[in-house]
Amino acid sequence: MTDEITRLVRFTSKGLDEVALRDERQRVAIVDYEDLGERQLRMAALFDGDGEYEIGEFGFYLASGTLLAVYSVAGKLLTYKAAAARVLQKFTLDVSPLPTDSVTIVVGSESLNLFFTEELAAVAAANVNNMGRYLGMLFRVMELEHNV
């Protein structure tokens, strides 16, 4: 039987001995996936929206709704989600305890690259502007050297 890992969930922890999610805050699709070999899977999820909260744990859900895995560190805050902030979280999941070929990863419809288009455009514009200033300075230096 093969099941699909489709969602990552962000939630806060109420205790250190739980076996299921408590106080779930946000459930999102996996936006990136990489097979690292040796039954190690790296997945990424983008958490966004207006919610603001501390994050103590993350959960991995199967398409059936079954909680497959929980990531937490006892007594430690993992991260914080500010209001209107976007947080990209990557995880490496070891699936070696599971039967071979028993899970597949389903990546959501949104491309991770699309989330950074504005930021990449701003960096590209700054680089082009910087190159223009540098060329202007180069031409002035060349003219000064020619006149000497």
Side-chain angles (χ1 to χ4, degrees):
M1 178 180 147
T2 299
D3 212 336
E4 299 173 335
I5 301 172
T6 60
R7 302 271 183 228
L8 285 174
V9 177
R10 169 171 277 177
F11 56 95
T12 58
S13 172
K14 297 281 190 206
L16 300 177
D17 58 349
E18 70 235 7
V19 294
L21 298 185
R22 296 170 141 201
D23 198 19
E24 180 180 320
R25 297 296 182 121
Q26 188 175 9
R27 191 176 290 206
V28 298
I30 295 168
V31 294
D32 194 26
Y33 157 75
E34 179 182 1
D35 188 342
L36 301 175
E38 298 184 25
R39 314 233 13 215
Q40 302 285 315
L41 308 174
R42 181 176 294 147
M43 295 171 275
L46 184 71
F47 297 90
D48 58 1
D50 294 332
E52 181 173 1
Y53 41 85
E54 296 177 342
I55 291 80
E57 300 174 299
F58 291 91
F60 297 82
Y61 275 92
L62 300 174
S64 65
T66 303
L67 179 62
L68 174 67
V70 175
Y71 175 77
S72 67
V73 178
K76 182 177 177 186
L77 177 67
L78 299 178
T79 189
Y80 180 81
K81 163 80 171 69
R86 297 185 328 183
V87 177
L88 177 65
Q89 189 69 49
K90 283 197 165 195
F91 296 94
T92 300
L93 182 63
D94 178 8
V95 293
S96 60
L98 302 174
T100 303
D101 298 325
S102 64
V103 295
T104 57
I105 306 299
V106 175
V107 178
S109 61
E110 299 179 35
S111 170
L112 186 58
N113 295 329
L114 295 178
F115 294 114
F116 300 107
T117 54
E118 289 180 36
E119 293 86 351
L120 291 174
V123 169
N127 282 334
V128 169
N129 288 335
N130 191 34
M131 285 186 282
R133 285 189 298 274
Y134 176 75
L135 285 173
M137 183 175 64
L138 176 66
F139 291 140
R140 286 192 301 270
V141 168
M142 287 172 60
E143 185 176 328
L144 287 171
E145 289 175 342
H146 183 284
N147 291 334
V148 171

